[in-house]
Amino acid sequence: MKSEQLIYSNSDGWVSRKRELGFSESSATLVFMFGTVELLGDESHYNFVRSKYPNAKIVTASTSGEISDQVHDEQNILVTAIQLEKTPIEVQSLNHSEVQDSYELGAKLAKKLSDHDLNHILVVSDGQVVNGSELVKGIRSETSNSVSITGGMASDNAQFIKTLVSVDEIPSEGNVVLIGFYGENIKITYGAKGGWDEFGPHRIVTKSIGNVLYEIDGKNALEIYKRYLGDKAEELPGSALLFPLNMKLDGVDEPLVRTVLNVDDEEGTMTFAGNMIEGSTVRFMRANFDRIIEGAMDAAVQNVERFNLAKNPDLVLMVSCVGRKLVLNQRIEEEVESVVDVFGQESTYAGFFSNGEISPHSNNLTCELHNQTMTITTFTELE
């Protein structure tokens, strides 16, 4: 695998960040184009990338900041072009408006992918209208247990208005893209970790429908949440990124973290990126700066230890929750630096701050939607 990275800013235009020896623009197989909603909506930027990599599949996602071996949190587009030499890929896309719900969206998309020699599925999803939990369940329903699944949900600088995703076209709302990697010539590893502290009483979800939460402990969930947030309740839904909920299911060792995408004051409900399960136990969470940074390093270490990763991976793809970025603020660089410390300077780093992260739990292969985590997927073509 060979790669090249470019970055666009309004002040400097397109600038080359990294180009590996032997990389050929015409031989590029896959291009990730991560950037702000505003810049990705400018057709000229997509047309530039399309002309530069004429034979590649171009997968685009809006973000709340881009990640290479450092954080880019201004008005930027980060382009990572990959030249796969031994690994076939297949890319499929579908819009939420073409199906009944997010589960069907995931199932139909997964069925589009050929399952012969399928090694891994990378998901790039709209982050506003798609229910990430149901999407992942749908993908899993049509995928062999031996196929790993990772990815993330697009973002929009924590505005929660619209997110953009596409493949080989100008990005638009409601799209989900699946990238299938095939064969045994590529080694793909993954890890996910949070680092938030729980506090306060354990509470029970007593009424919910999908990802919409109505009641906790038989009381209006939004009222409880607003009391908890205090003055920051006026800044909802954005302020909810700083105060996620930890959700524990009976019989499941690993809890899930959930953050709010939207609130409805008239209905008294909160809409989350993933499902809130009736009968589950939830607890409020708050930031611990050092533990959040350590969580990113732990996610990287999971890749190394679980999969015996012996060399620097060719590509390290990081998807980190926008809530972590808002909490860490000026220390956000430390999160990325901790990952680079594990894998080394020779790897190519790409990624974005998201509205949701998709990865298996740390202790099993079952893929889930996460919030407030750093998820890392590494790709290494074997010699």
Side-chain angles (χ1 to χ4, degrees):
M1 181 189 297
K2 302 288 189 297
S3 63
E4 174 181 63
Q5 280 190 321
L6 311 172
I7 190 164
Y8 174 88
S9 65
N10 288 328
S11 58
D12 298 327
W14 288 101
V15 176
S16 176
R17 292 198 74 254
K18 179 178 183 179
R19 184 186 178 101
E20 290 188 284
L21 186 65
F23 176 85
S24 167
E25 293 175 356
S26 62
S27 298
T29 312
L30 178 64
V31 173
F32 295 113
M33 188 174 176
F34 301 142
T36 64
V37 168
E38 295 76 16
L39 288 178
L40 292 183
D42 185 335
E43 186 175 348
S44 66
H45 299 312
Y46 170 80
N47 291 339
F48 170 81
V49 176
R50 175 77 283 168
S51 65
K52 191 170 181 63
Y53 308 107
N55 300 312
K57 304 298 290 186
I58 300 175
V59 177
T60 305
S62 64
T63 77
S64 289
E66 300 75 54
I67 305 172
S68 60
D69 52 3
Q70 59 186 4
V71 174
H72 309 278
D73 56 3
E74 301 299 328
Q75 290 285 313
N76 294 307
I77 299 174
L78 176 69
V79 168
T80 305
I82 302 163
Q83 180 180 322
L84 291 162
E85 298 167 299
K86 302 177 182 178
T87 306
I89 67 167
E90 182 181 342
V91 183
Q92 298 289 349
S93 179
L94 195 63
N95 192 276
H96 192 267
S97 64
E98 300 177 60
V99 294
Q100 289 187 343
D101 53 36
S102 297
Y103 181 92
E104 184 183 359
L105 177 59
K108 279 194 170 183
L109 263 179
K111 287 185 72 171
K112 283 187 171 188
L113 288 176
S114 170
D115 59 4
H116 180 65
D117 282 340
L118 180 60
N119 183 324
H120 182 84
I121 297 174
L122 184 66
V123 184
V124 181
S125 172
D126 177 279
Q128 193 63 29
V129 302
V130 172
N131 179 329
S133 292
E134 292 298 307
L135 174 72
V136 170
K137 286 168 62 178
I139 296 171
R140 289 194 340 232
S141 73
E142 298 293 339
T143 305
S144 166
N145 290 335
S146 63
V147 177
S148 52
I149 305 168
T150 61
M153 304 184 74
S155 191
D156 63 347
N157 282 329
Q159 298 301 304
F160 299 104
I161 298 172
K162 69 175 181 179
T163 62
L164 306 177
V165 170
S166 72
V167 57
D168 291 341
E169 63 182 7
I170 307 301
S172 56
E173 296 178 67
N175 291 317
V176 177
V177 175
L178 299 190
I179 308 167
F181 294 82
Y182 291 83
E184 298 180 354
N185 291 319
I186 190 165
K187 182 172 185 175
I188 299 174
T189 75
Y190 50 82
K193 202 70 175 178
W196 296 69
D197 285 342
E198 300 178 43
F199 75 101
H202 293 84
R203 304 172 185 269
I204 304 298
V205 175
T206 48
K207 184 180 179 181
S208 64
I209 300 176
N211 62 336
V212 181
L213 178 63
Y214 291 83
E215 293 181 1
I216 301 174
D217 290 343
K219 301 175 182 178
N220 182 272
L222 182 56
E223 290 181 4
I224 294 174
Y225 200 71
K226 283 184 174 181
R227 288 201 302 271
Y228 165 56
L229 263 62
D231 292 342
K232 288 190 175 293
E234 298 178 1
E235 302 171 26
L236 283 169
S239 59
L241 290 168
L242 307 177
F243 304 98
L245 290 179
N246 190 70
M247 181 175 71
K248 181 72 169 59
L249 305 176
D250 288 340
V252 179
D253 292 336
E254 295 278 352
L256 296 171
V257 179
R258 291 286 181 258
T259 51
V260 178
L261 286 181
N262 212 339
V263 299
D264 187 328
D265 286 305
E266 292 186 6
E267 296 292 330
T269 62
M270 297 185 288
T271 300
F272 290 77
N275 286 347
M276 298 298 296
I277 309 301
E278 285 190 5
S280 63
T281 301
V282 295
R283 199 176 183 197
F284 293 124
M285 305 181 78
R286 59 189 170 197
N288 179 316
F289 295 144
D290 291 336
R291 286 194 60 224
I292 290 175
I293 293 168
E294 289 171 5
M297 178 176 287
D298 289 343
V301 170
Q302 284 177 20
N303 283 264
V304 175
E305 294 183 347
R306 183 194 300 164
F307 298 98
N308 298 316
L309 194 61
K311 58 167 283 189
N312 293 344
D314 295 330
L315 174 68
V316 178
L317 183 65
M318 292 177 277
V319 181
S320 182
C321 184
V322 58
R324 299 168 68 89
K325 180 185 175 189
L326 293 177
V327 166
L328 289 174
N329 198 0
Q330 294 181 356
R331 295 188 65 185
I332 191 61
E333 293 279 358
E334 296 179 45
E335 180 181 57
V336 176
E337 288 168 1
S338 71
V339 175
V340 176
D341 286 344
V342 173
F343 294 118
Q345 296 288 341
E346 294 181 15
S347 298
T348 295
Y349 295 87
F352 62 95
F353 292 98
S354 70
N355 279 5
E357 305 81 58
I358 297 169
S359 175
H361 281 299
S362 59
N363 294 327
N364 59 53
L365 292 174
T366 303
C367 180
E368 298 282 359
L369 175 80
H370 304 270
N371 292 128
Q372 302 293 6
T373 61
M374 164 68 88
T375 62
I376 299 173
T377 311
T378 78
F379 301 82
T380 306
E381 276 203 299
L382 304 178
E383 303 262 332

